[in-house]
Amino acid sequence: MRVSCNGCRVLRKGCSENCTIRPCLEWIKNPQSQANATVFLAKFYGRAGLQNLIHAGPDHLRPAIFRSLLYEACGRIVNPIYGSAGLLWSGNWPLCHAAVEAVLAGKE
């Protein structure tokens, strides 16, 4: 029996051999940070929306898609109009990165 990945565990869904979330979380070292990122994205995009967005890309790009969704969601929280692209363009990228670090740490 295989244990569910941290993403599937917090989403309360079954985890299988071909889990779309498990490879997306490998770049995050802390299990609690993996759970925090997954919950944040599920609240932002919706559980089914998150699954569909990740599943829409090819297997080798899914971790990058997850990371991109995380940065865009944090960018939209900080700058609701332009998001992460606006923060990058205006030179305020450290705000987006700080928001991602706060999500991974479980802070508001």
Side-chain angles (χ1 to χ4, degrees), residues 59-76:
D59 291 346
H60 69 283
L61 290 179
R62 288 179 182 170
I65 292 170
F66 185 90
R67 183 179 266 187
S68 178
L69 291 172
L70 181 61
Y71 273 89
E72 181 57 28
C74 288
R76 290 284 171 185

Side-chain angles (χ1 to χ4, degrees), residues 68-105:
S68 178
L69 291 172
L70 181 61
Y71 273 89
E72 181 57 28
C74 288
R76 290 284 171 185
I77 295 295
V78 175
N79 185 342
I81 296 173
Y82 297 111
S84 61
L87 291 171
L88 182 63
W89 177 75
S90 66
N92 290 323
W93 182 252
L95 293 174
C96 188
H97 187 68
V100 169
E101 292 299 321
V103 165
L104 294 178

Side-chain angles (χ1 to χ4, degrees), residues 10-63:
V10 297
L11 293 179
R12 295 187 177 145
K13 69 178 221 59
C15 190
S16 64
E17 290 293 325
N18 57 353
C19 177
T20 56
I21 295 178
R22 184 185 305 265
C24 297
L25 299 175
E26 291 175 353
W27 65 277
I28 305 172
K29 302 301 180 202
N30 183 347
Q32 186 59 45
S33 295
Q34 293 175 347
N36 292 339
T38 306
V39 166
F40 176 76
L41 287 178
K43 285 181 180 178
F44 194 86
Y45 294 106
R47 181 180 155 197
L50 175 62
Q51 296 271 57
N52 290 338
L53 287 168
I54 292 171
H55 193 69
D59 291 346
H60 69 283
L61 290 179
R62 288 179 182 170

